[in-house]
Amino acid sequence: MLRAVCARELKLAARRPSDALGGLFFFVLVGSLFPLALGPDAPLLRQIAPGIVWVAALLAVLLGQHRLFESDMADGSLEQWLLAPAPLSLLVGLKVATHWLLGVLPLLLVAPLLGWQYGLDGTVVSILLASLALGTPSLCLLAALGAALTLGVRGQLLLALVVLPLSVPILIFGSHAVAQAQQGLSAAPALNLLGACLCLALLAGPWAIAAALRLALE
């Protein structure tokens, strides 16, 4: 069953590459517009870089998330998941992990390019990558929870209203880690907090998403 879920997600991604690439293009576009709009003001660009990159990453993760479980509900896959011997939380976690690998991991690969656009040095870029690696899985789990809670509701406004308030701590810790590195201070406290958020999301997220899906199917 686990292999079937992975294979299905890969087939869906191959059939609809825009879902996976849309977030990447959005991330690059939003991150690249600010240096063009603000001009060659290097100190200002370095100052706003952490917030801009993290907000762009958050919005890129949310892009298209309202459709995360729609196809599963439409073709009856969710009902099969409920009857499967594997726990629903495990299947949900596997789906979210596959989504992160296909849709969010490419953001981390291009994040150094955005960092260099803002004049960040190698050390700061490495902290940026570490913060994104720790923070984006939590954002994916929160977005999946929002998608499960709003399953069957048209539009993304309700999803954004559910997810954005919960994402604020991750956004703050992620941008703060990069800002600390820019000032020559240790980014470890902020990264540790991101790691704690990730542990909490991994422990509680799949079960909360599974419970929301069960409610949606009742």
Side-chain angles (χ1 to χ4, degrees):
M1 186 65 184
L2 300 180
R3 188 177 299 176
V5 172
C6 290
R8 184 176 185 276
E9 293 304 313
L10 293 175
K11 289 180 181 178
L12 288 176
R15 192 179 305 165
R16 297 183 304 189
S18 60
D19 289 350
L21 297 178
L24 175 62
F25 291 149
F26 181 86
F27 178 69
V28 173
L29 182 62
V30 172
S32 301
L33 284 178
F34 283 89
L36 296 175
L38 296 175
D41 190 343
L44 177 60
L45 291 177
R46 284 194 295 269
Q47 182 180 359
I48 67 173
I52 295 298
V53 174
W54 260 98
V55 169
L58 170 61
L59 296 178
V61 169
L62 289 180
L63 192 66
Q65 278 286 341
H66 65 288
R67 298 193 301 269
L68 184 62
F69 297 109
E70 282 186 354
S71 60
D72 299 314
M73 188 174 186
D75 63 9
S77 295
L78 287 182
E79 287 82 356
Q80 294 180 12
W81 289 6
L82 290 176
L83 300 175
L88 180 59
S89 57
L90 179 59
L91 298 176
V92 166
L94 186 60
K95 181 179 179 69
V96 175
T98 305
H99 170 75
W100 184 86
L101 288 173
L102 296 176
V104 182
L105 183 59
L107 305 187
L108 274 67
L109 300 179
V110 302
L113 300 178
L114 291 185
W116 293 327
Q117 275 189 322
Y118 287 88
L120 304 182
D121 59 34
T123 302
V124 177
V125 168
S126 65
I127 296 297
L128 174 64
L129 285 176
S131 66
L132 289 173
L134 289 171
T136 50
S138 300
L139 294 179
C140 284
L141 286 165
L142 289 175
L145 177 60
L149 290 172
T150 59
L151 188 61
V153 178
R154 292 184 177 274
Q156 302 187 56
L157 179 58
L158 186 57
L159 173 64
L161 292 176
V162 171
V163 175
L164 287 179
L166 299 175
S167 304
V168 170
I170 300 170
L171 193 67
I172 292 174
F173 298 149
S175 58
H176 184 66
V178 183
Q180 289 290 94
Q182 285 179 310
Q183 298 172 14
L185 303 175
S186 174
L191 293 178
N192 290 337
L193 289 171
L194 281 175
C197 290
L198 177 57
C199 291
L200 180 61
L202 290 174
L203 288 173
W207 282 267
I209 298 168
L213 290 176
R214 287 192 179 95
L215 289 176
L217 292 173
E218 289 181 355

